[in-house]
Amino acid sequence: MEITVTDERDDRFIRMCNSFGCEVTDPQVVLLLNNFGKTVGCASFKVYDSESAEITTLFLNSYDNREKISYKLIRQLEKIAMDYEFKSVVVSFDSKEDILIDIFEKLDYKFVDELLMKKVFRSLV
């Protein structure tokens, strides 16, 4: 599997978003996870505030290794966010029953309010 870094104008990302019933028009950093030429997952983030990026999409077309694929995409988004010098990443949910909450909790995200989780990056300095 390989990850491609692109943006919200990429046709593969647009098709995947549309297949999940969403439309993304804000500027985004987009990751596409490809397996044998087929896009099996995507994730994206945008600017949340001056110190934080917000994960806005995480879609998977594969039922195999969903957790592993999710971790791979989220970790890569975090690395890119750090490269852009963001100090944290946030992600919001529509409900407390969202199936992705467990994955984000395992990756050290903490609830900061009812439906918003945040991960603050540790400084190496």
mmCIF file of all heavy atoms in Angstrom, residues 7-47:
data_model
loop_
_atom_site.group_PDB
_atom_site.id
_atom_site.type_symbol
_atom_site.label_atom_id
_atom_site.label_comp_id
_atom_site.label_asym_id
_atom_site.label_seq_id
_atom_site.Cartn_x
_atom_site.Cartn_y
_atom_site.Cartn_z
ATOM 1 N N ASP A 7 -4.536 17.213 -2.721
ATOM 2 C CA ASP A 7 -5.421 18.209 -2.119
ATOM 3 C C ASP A 7 -6.871 17.921 -2.498
ATOM 4 O O ASP A 7 -7.168 16.925 -3.155
ATOM 5 C CB ASP A 7 -5.008 19.634 -2.496
ATOM 6 C CG ASP A 7 -5.106 19.917 -3.981
ATOM 7 O OD1 ASP A 7 -5.936 19.303 -4.678
ATOM 8 O OD2 ASP A 7 -4.343 20.785 -4.457
ATOM 9 N N GLU A 8 -7.769 18.798 -2.070
ATOM 10 C CA GLU A 8 -9.205 18.580 -2.243
ATOM 11 C C GLU A 8 -9.673 18.598 -3.696
ATOM 12 O O GLU A 8 -10.797 18.217 -3.996
ATOM 13 C CB GLU A 8 -10.004 19.609 -1.430
ATOM 14 C CG GLU A 8 -10.072 21.008 -2.027
ATOM 15 C CD GLU A 8 -8.797 21.823 -1.906
ATOM 16 O OE1 GLU A 8 -7.853 21.407 -1.210
ATOM 17 O OE2 GLU A 8 -8.736 22.895 -2.527
ATOM 18 N N ARG A 9 -8.824 18.995 -4.623
ATOM 19 C CA ARG A 9 -9.207 19.038 -6.043
ATOM 20 C C ARG A 9 -8.949 17.713 -6.767
ATOM 21 O O ARG A 9 -9.329 17.556 -7.922
ATOM 22 C CB ARG A 9 -8.449 20.164 -6.747
ATOM 23 C CG ARG A 9 -8.797 21.539 -6.167
ATOM 24 C CD ARG A 9 -7.864 22.585 -6.682
ATOM 25 N NE ARG A 9 -6.522 22.281 -6.161
ATOM 26 C CZ ARG A 9 -5.472 23.070 -6.276
ATOM 27 N NH1 ARG A 9 -5.566 24.206 -6.914
ATOM 28 N NH2 ARG A 9 -4.307 22.733 -5.764
ATOM 29 N N ASP A 10 -8.322 16.761 -6.100
ATOM 30 C CA ASP A 10 -7.999 15.473 -6.706
ATOM 31 C C ASP A 10 -9.291 14.700 -7.002
ATOM 32 O O ASP A 10 -10.115 14.498 -6.112
ATOM 33 C CB ASP A 10 -7.100 14.677 -5.758
ATOM 34 C CG ASP A 10 -6.504 13.456 -6.403
ATOM 35 O OD1 ASP A 10 -7.283 12.558 -6.794
ATOM 36 O OD2 ASP A 10 -5.268 13.389 -6.506
ATOM 37 N N ASP A 11 -9.465 14.272 -8.250
ATOM 38 C CA ASP A 11 -10.685 13.564 -8.662
ATOM 39 C C ASP A 11 -10.936 12.302 -7.841
ATOM 40 O O ASP A 11 -12.082 11.966 -7.548
ATOM 41 C CB ASP A 11 -10.619 13.188 -10.145
ATOM 42 C CG ASP A 11 -10.816 14.382 -11.060
ATOM 43 O OD1 ASP A 11 -11.430 15.375 -10.620
ATOM 44 O OD2 ASP A 11 -10.361 14.321 -12.211
ATOM 45 N N ARG A 12 -9.875 11.585 -7.468
ATOM 46 C CA ARG A 12 -10.047 10.361 -6.670
ATOM 47 C C ARG A 12 -10.646 10.690 -5.311
ATOM 48 O O ARG A 12 -11.519 9.979 -4.810
ATOM 49 C CB ARG A 12 -8.708 9.641 -6.507
ATOM 50 C CG ARG A 12 -8.125 9.159 -7.825
ATOM 51 C CD ARG A 12 -6.686 8.763 -7.683
ATOM 52 N NE ARG A 12 -5.891 9.959 -7.362
ATOM 53 C CZ ARG A 12 -4.567 9.963 -7.188
ATOM 54 N NH1 ARG A 12 -3.895 8.833 -7.269
ATOM 55 N NH2 ARG A 12 -3.930 11.080 -6.929
ATOM 56 N N PHE A 13 -10.197 11.790 -4.711
ATOM 57 C CA PHE A 13 -10.727 12.229 -3.422
ATOM 58 C C PHE A 13 -12.178 12.673 -3.576
ATOM 59 O O PHE A 13 -13.036 12.301 -2.766
ATOM 60 C CB PHE A 13 -9.860 13.359 -2.867
ATOM 61 C CG PHE A 13 -10.348 13.915 -1.561
ATOM 62 C CD1 PHE A 13 -10.348 13.138 -0.414
ATOM 63 C CD2 PHE A 13 -10.801 15.218 -1.472
ATOM 64 C CE1 PHE A 13 -10.788 13.656 0.801
ATOM 65 C CE2 PHE A 13 -11.231 15.743 -0.271
ATOM 66 C CZ PHE A 13 -11.235 14.959 0.866
ATOM 67 N N ILE A 14 -12.466 13.425 -4.609
ATOM 68 C CA ILE A 14 -13.837 13.898 -4.847
ATOM 69 C C ILE A 14 -14.785 12.713 -5.022
ATOM 70 O O ILE A 14 -15.863 12.673 -4.419
ATOM 71 C CB ILE A 14 -13.881 14.842 -6.072
ATOM 72 C CG1 ILE A 14 -13.131 16.141 -5.750
ATOM 73 C CG2 ILE A 14 -15.329 15.127 -6.488
ATOM 74 C CD1 ILE A 14 -12.859 17.022 -6.965
ATOM 75 N N ARG A 15 -14.369 11.728 -5.815
ATOM 76 C CA ARG A 15 -15.212 10.536 -6.023
ATOM 77 C C ARG A 15 -15.439 9.783 -4.711
ATOM 78 O O ARG A 15 -16.551 9.341 -4.430
ATOM 79 C CB ARG A 15 -14.589 9.610 -7.059
ATOM 80 C CG ARG A 15 -14.800 10.069 -8.488
ATOM 81 C CD ARG A 15 -14.453 8.977 -9.497
ATOM 82 N NE ARG A 15 -13.105 8.436 -9.371
ATOM 83 C CZ ARG A 15 -12.018 8.975 -9.941
ATOM 84 N NH1 ARG A 15 -12.121 10.064 -10.659
ATOM 85 N NH2 ARG A 15 -10.846 8.408 -9.780
ATOM 86 N N MET A 16 -14.394 9.640 -3.913
ATOM 87 C CA MET A 16 -14.534 8.911 -2.659
ATOM 88 C C MET A 16 -15.470 9.674 -1.714
ATOM 89 O O MET A 16 -16.356 9.074 -1.102
ATOM 90 C CB MET A 16 -13.184 8.657 -2.000
ATOM 91 C CG MET A 16 -13.309 7.843 -0.723
ATOM 92 S SD MET A 16 -11.765 7.154 -0.166
ATOM 93 C CE MET A 16 -11.911 5.521 -0.851
ATOM 94 N N CYS A 17 -15.293 10.982 -1.603
ATOM 95 C CA CYS A 17 -16.183 11.782 -0.745
ATOM 96 C C CYS A 17 -17.631 11.661 -1.203
ATOM 97 O O CYS A 17 -18.529 11.467 -0.390
ATOM 98 C CB CYS A 17 -15.758 13.245 -0.743
ATOM 99 S SG CYS A 17 -14.299 13.570 0.250
ATOM 100 N N ASN A 18 -17.835 11.778 -2.497
ATOM 101 C CA ASN A 18 -19.196 11.669 -3.034
ATOM 102 C C ASN A 18 -19.809 10.303 -2.738
ATOM 103 O O ASN A 18 -21.004 10.197 -2.453
ATOM 104 C CB ASN A 18 -19.219 11.941 -4.532
ATOM 105 C CG ASN A 18 -18.969 13.391 -4.855
ATOM 106 O OD1 ASN A 18 -19.120 14.274 -4.013
ATOM 107 N ND2 ASN A 18 -18.555 13.665 -6.079
ATOM 108 N N SER A 19 -18.999 9.255 -2.782
ATOM 109 C CA SER A 19 -19.530 7.914 -2.510
ATOM 110 C C SER A 19 -19.975 7.765 -1.059
ATOM 111 O O SER A 19 -20.788 6.905 -0.739
ATOM 112 C CB SER A 19 -18.499 6.836 -2.869
ATOM 113 O OG SER A 19 -17.461 6.787 -1.921
ATOM 114 N N PHE A 20 -19.445 8.610 -0.173
ATOM 115 C CA PHE A 20 -19.854 8.592 1.231
ATOM 116 C C PHE A 20 -20.863 9.696 1.538
ATOM 117 O O PHE A 20 -21.186 9.963 2.686
ATOM 118 C CB PHE A 20 -18.633 8.729 2.153
ATOM 119 C CG PHE A 20 -17.853 7.455 2.271
ATOM 120 C CD1 PHE A 20 -16.792 7.199 1.409
ATOM 121 C CD2 PHE A 20 -18.174 6.512 3.229
ATOM 122 C CE1 PHE A 20 -16.063 6.024 1.515
ATOM 123 C CE2 PHE A 20 -17.461 5.339 3.331
ATOM 124 C CZ PHE A 20 -16.400 5.089 2.474
ATOM 125 N N GLY A 21 -21.330 10.389 0.475
ATOM 126 C CA GLY A 21 -22.366 11.398 0.647
ATOM 127 C C GLY A 21 -21.891 12.721 1.194
ATOM 128 O O GLY A 21 -22.665 13.455 1.802
ATOM 129 N N CYS A 22 -20.643 13.049 0.994
ATOM 130 C CA CYS A 22 -20.160 14.342 1.470
ATOM 131 C C CYS A 22 -19.486 15.087 0.328
ATOM 132 O O CYS A 22 -19.117 14.511 -0.696
ATOM 133 C CB CYS A 22 -19.224 14.203 2.658
ATOM 134 S SG CYS A 22 -17.539 13.770 2.238
ATOM 135 N N GLU A 23 -19.318 16.369 0.538
ATOM 136 C CA GLU A 23 -18.645 17.213 -0.433
ATOM 137 C C GLU A 23 -17.673 18.100 0.331
ATOM 138 O O GLU A 23 -18.052 18.733 1.314
ATOM 139 C CB GLU A 23 -19.665 18.071 -1.174
ATOM 140 C CG GLU A 23 -19.065 18.931 -2.246
ATOM 141 C CD GLU A 23 -20.127 19.718 -2.985
ATOM 142 O OE1 GLU A 23 -21.204 19.165 -3.256
ATOM 143 O OE2 GLU A 23 -19.856 20.890 -3.263
ATOM 144 N N VAL A 24 -16.423 18.122 -0.083
ATOM 145 C CA VAL A 24 -15.405 18.920 0.586
ATOM 146 C C VAL A 24 -14.926 19.989 -0.387
ATOM 147 O O VAL A 24 -14.459 19.671 -1.478
ATOM 148 C CB VAL A 24 -14.225 18.038 1.039
ATOM 149 C CG1 VAL A 24 -13.136 18.878 1.679
ATOM 150 C CG2 VAL A 24 -14.699 16.969 2.011
ATOM 151 N N THR A 25 -15.049 21.240 0.015
ATOM 152 C CA THR A 25 -14.605 22.331 -0.853
ATOM 153 C C THR A 25 -13.535 23.200 -0.197
ATOM 154 O O THR A 25 -12.831 23.919 -0.878
ATOM 155 C CB THR A 25 -15.788 23.232 -1.253
ATOM 156 O OG1 THR A 25 -16.429 23.715 -0.077
ATOM 157 C CG2 THR A 25 -16.786 22.464 -2.112
ATOM 158 N N ASP A 26 -13.433 23.143 1.136
ATOM 159 C CA ASP A 26 -12.403 23.926 1.823
ATOM 160 C C ASP A 26 -11.026 23.419 1.433
ATOM 161 O O ASP A 26 -10.858 22.231 1.155
ATOM 162 C CB ASP A 26 -12.545 23.798 3.349
ATOM 163 C CG ASP A 26 -13.837 24.380 3.871
ATOM 164 O OD1 ASP A 26 -14.360 25.321 3.248
ATOM 165 O OD2 ASP A 26 -14.325 23.884 4.898
ATOM 166 N N PRO A 27 -10.020 24.289 1.443
ATOM 167 C CA PRO A 27 -8.653 23.810 1.179
ATOM 168 C C PRO A 27 -8.264 22.723 2.179
ATOM 169 O O PRO A 27 -8.498 22.866 3.375
ATOM 170 C CB PRO A 27 -7.792 25.055 1.374
ATOM 171 C CG PRO A 27 -8.727 26.192 1.132
ATOM 172 C CD PRO A 27 -10.070 25.725 1.641
ATOM 173 N N GLN A 28 -7.736 21.641 1.672
ATOM 174 C CA GLN A 28 -7.411 20.478 2.494
ATOM 175 C C GLN A 28 -6.058 19.913 2.102
ATOM 176 O O GLN A 28 -5.660 20.003 0.943
ATOM 177 C CB GLN A 28 -8.434 19.358 2.255
ATOM 178 C CG GLN A 28 -9.870 19.723 2.394
ATOM 179 C CD GLN A 28 -10.362 19.646 3.811
ATOM 180 O OE1 GLN A 28 -10.024 18.733 4.549
ATOM 181 N NE2 GLN A 28 -11.149 20.612 4.198
ATOM 182 N N VAL A 29 -5.393 19.296 3.067
ATOM 183 C CA VAL A 29 -4.287 18.396 2.772
ATOM 184 C C VAL A 29 -4.930 17.020 2.748
ATOM 185 O O VAL A 29 -5.601 16.620 3.706
ATOM 186 C CB VAL A 29 -3.181 18.464 3.847
ATOM 187 C CG1 VAL A 29 -2.160 17.364 3.627
ATOM 188 C CG2 VAL A 29 -2.517 19.832 3.847
ATOM 189 N N VAL A 30 -4.777 16.296 1.649
ATOM 190 C CA VAL A 30 -5.466 15.030 1.447
ATOM 191 C C VAL A 30 -4.456 13.900 1.297
ATOM 192 O O VAL A 30 -3.450 14.046 0.604
ATOM 193 C CB VAL A 30 -6.358 15.096 0.179
ATOM 194 C CG1 VAL A 30 -6.942 13.736 -0.153
ATOM 195 C CG2 VAL A 30 -7.457 16.137 0.351
ATOM 196 N N LEU A 31 -4.759 12.778 1.946
ATOM 197 C CA LEU A 31 -3.984 11.551 1.773
ATOM 198 C C LEU A 31 -4.883 10.512 1.132
ATOM 199 O O LEU A 31 -6.019 10.313 1.563
ATOM 200 C CB LEU A 31 -3.502 11.008 3.120
ATOM 201 C CG LEU A 31 -2.635 11.910 3.971
ATOM 202 C CD1 LEU A 31 -2.264 11.188 5.260
ATOM 203 C CD2 LEU A 31 -1.406 12.337 3.230
ATOM 204 N N LEU A 32 -4.371 9.876 0.100
ATOM 205 C CA LEU A 32 -5.076 8.766 -0.542
ATOM 206 C C LEU A 32 -4.249 7.511 -0.313
ATOM 207 O O LEU A 32 -3.046 7.504 -0.570
ATOM 208 C CB LEU A 32 -5.226 9.010 -2.037
ATOM 209 C CG LEU A 32 -6.028 10.242 -2.444
ATOM 210 C CD1 LEU A 32 -5.908 10.468 -3.944
ATOM 211 C CD2 LEU A 32 -7.484 10.104 -2.035
ATOM 212 N N LEU A 33 -4.873 6.466 0.175
ATOM 213 C CA LEU A 33 -4.191 5.196 0.386
ATOM 214 C C LEU A 33 -4.579 4.273 -0.760
ATOM 215 O O LEU A 33 -5.753 3.973 -0.961
ATOM 216 C CB LEU A 33 -4.589 4.579 1.726
ATOM 217 C CG LEU A 33 -3.853 3.304 2.098
ATOM 218 C CD1 LEU A 33 -2.358 3.556 2.260
ATOM 219 C CD2 LEU A 33 -4.431 2.721 3.379
ATOM 220 N N ASN A 34 -3.567 3.887 -1.530
ATOM 221 C CA ASN A 34 -3.790 3.069 -2.719
ATOM 222 C C ASN A 34 -3.224 1.674 -2.513
ATOM 223 O O ASN A 34 -2.158 1.511 -1.935
ATOM 224 C CB ASN A 34 -3.126 3.717 -3.937
ATOM 225 C CG ASN A 34 -3.663 5.113 -4.171
ATOM 226 O OD1 ASN A 34 -4.850 5.289 -4.403
ATOM 227 N ND2 ASN A 34 -2.799 6.109 -4.096
ATOM 228 N N ASN A 35 -3.959 0.707 -3.022
ATOM 229 C CA ASN A 35 -3.534 -0.680 -2.961
ATOM 230 C C ASN A 35 -3.757 -1.279 -4.348
ATOM 231 O O ASN A 35 -4.902 -1.385 -4.793
ATOM 232 C CB ASN A 35 -4.335 -1.427 -1.896
ATOM 233 C CG ASN A 35 -3.758 -2.784 -1.601
ATOM 234 O OD1 ASN A 35 -2.578 -3.043 -1.833
ATOM 235 N ND2 ASN A 35 -4.591 -3.670 -1.079
ATOM 236 N N PHE A 36 -2.676 -1.627 -5.026
ATOM 237 C CA PHE A 36 -2.731 -2.180 -6.375
ATOM 238 C C PHE A 36 -3.539 -1.283 -7.322
ATOM 239 O O PHE A 36 -4.392 -1.747 -8.066
ATOM 240 C CB PHE A 36 -3.294 -3.606 -6.368
ATOM 241 C CG PHE A 36 -2.465 -4.560 -5.573
ATOM 242 C CD1 PHE A 36 -2.928 -5.052 -4.362
ATOM 243 C CD2 PHE A 36 -1.209 -4.948 -6.013
ATOM 244 C CE1 PHE A 36 -2.161 -5.929 -3.611
ATOM 245 C CE2 PHE A 36 -0.435 -5.825 -5.276
ATOM 246 C CZ PHE A 36 -0.906 -6.316 -4.071
ATOM 247 N N GLY A 37 -3.282 0.022 -7.256
ATOM 248 C CA GLY A 37 -3.911 0.972 -8.163
ATOM 249 C C GLY A 37 -5.322 1.391 -7.801
ATOM 250 O O GLY A 37 -5.934 2.194 -8.486
ATOM 251 N N LYS A 38 -5.849 0.864 -6.702
ATOM 252 C CA LYS A 38 -7.205 1.203 -6.280
ATOM 253 C C LYS A 38 -7.141 1.995 -4.975
ATOM 254 O O LYS A 38 -6.412 1.623 -4.054
ATOM 255 C CB LYS A 38 -8.019 -0.073 -6.071
ATOM 256 C CG LYS A 38 -9.443 0.181 -5.647
ATOM 257 C CD LYS A 38 -10.178 -1.117 -5.442
ATOM 258 C CE LYS A 38 -11.563 -0.828 -4.897
ATOM 259 N NZ LYS A 38 -12.203 -2.005 -4.362
ATOM 260 N N THR A 39 -7.906 3.079 -4.897
ATOM 261 C CA THR A 39 -7.951 3.880 -3.674
ATOM 262 C C THR A 39 -8.819 3.155 -2.653
ATOM 263 O O THR A 39 -10.003 2.917 -2.890
ATOM 264 C CB THR A 39 -8.513 5.288 -3.956
ATOM 265 O OG1 THR A 39 -7.693 5.918 -4.945
ATOM 266 C CG2 THR A 39 -8.517 6.132 -2.691
ATOM 267 N N VAL A 40 -8.210 2.772 -1.515
ATOM 268 C CA VAL A 40 -8.932 2.028 -0.481
ATOM 269 C C VAL A 40 -9.256 2.879 0.733
ATOM 270 O O VAL A 40 -10.014 2.468 1.599
ATOM 271 C CB VAL A 40 -8.167 0.755 -0.046
ATOM 272 C CG1 VAL A 40 -8.059 -0.220 -1.203
ATOM 273 C CG2 VAL A 40 -6.805 1.091 0.523
ATOM 274 N N GLY A 41 -8.676 4.086 0.796
ATOM 275 C CA GLY A 41 -8.960 4.968 1.916
ATOM 276 C C GLY A 41 -8.463 6.365 1.648
ATOM 277 O O GLY A 41 -7.621 6.588 0.781
ATOM 278 N N CYS A 42 -9.019 7.310 2.396
ATOM 279 C CA CYS A 42 -8.533 8.686 2.306
ATOM 280 C C CYS A 42 -8.751 9.379 3.637
ATOM 281 O O CYS A 42 -9.595 8.981 4.439
ATOM 282 C CB CYS A 42 -9.215 9.449 1.175
ATOM 283 S SG CYS A 42 -10.929 9.868 1.476
ATOM 284 N N ALA A 43 -7.960 10.387 3.864
ATOM 285 C CA ALA A 43 -8.084 11.211 5.062
ATOM 286 C C ALA A 43 -7.630 12.609 4.687
ATOM 287 O O ALA A 43 -6.829 12.782 3.768
ATOM 288 C CB ALA A 43 -7.223 10.650 6.192
ATOM 289 N N SER A 44 -8.157 13.603 5.399
ATOM 290 C CA SER A 44 -7.754 14.971 5.095
ATOM 291 C C SER A 44 -7.823 15.838 6.341
ATOM 292 O O SER A 44 -8.496 15.507 7.316
ATOM 293 C CB SER A 44 -8.637 15.564 4.000
ATOM 294 O OG SER A 44 -9.951 15.755 4.457
ATOM 295 N N PHE A 45 -7.088 16.954 6.287
ATOM 296 C CA PHE A 45 -7.209 17.951 7.339
ATOM 297 C C PHE A 45 -7.164 19.335 6.736
ATOM 298 O O PHE A 45 -6.721 19.542 5.614
ATOM 299 C CB PHE A 45 -6.166 17.781 8.447
ATOM 300 C CG PHE A 45 -4.759 18.218 8.110
ATOM 301 C CD1 PHE A 45 -4.400 19.559 8.067
ATOM 302 C CD2 PHE A 45 -3.768 17.280 7.871
ATOM 303 C CE1 PHE A 45 -3.094 19.945 7.790
ATOM 304 C CE2 PHE A 45 -2.468 17.658 7.588
ATOM 305 C CZ PHE A 45 -2.128 18.995 7.553
ATOM 306 N N LYS A 46 -7.701 20.288 7.519
ATOM 307 C CA LYS A 46 -7.665 21.694 7.147
ATOM 308 C C LYS A 46 -7.252 22.492 8.378
ATOM 309 O O LYS A 46 -7.157 21.947 9.482
ATOM 310 C CB LYS A 46 -9.027 22.167 6.631
ATOM 311 C CG LYS A 46 -10.128 22.171 7.677
ATOM 312 C CD LYS A 46 -11.432 22.657 7.098
ATOM 313 C CE LYS A 46 -12.514 22.720 8.171
ATOM 314 N NZ LYS A 46 -13.765 23.262 7.635
ATOM 315 N N VAL A 47 -7.023 23.767 8.199
ATOM 316 C CA VAL A 47 -6.658 24.635 9.318
ATOM 317 C C VAL A 47 -7.880 24.801 10.220
ATOM 318 O O VAL A 47 -8.976 25.112 9.754
ATOM 319 C CB VAL A 47 -6.176 26.013 8.807
ATOM 320 C CG1 VAL A 47 -5.949 26.967 9.970
ATOM 321 C CG2 VAL A 47 -4.913 25.863 7.969
#
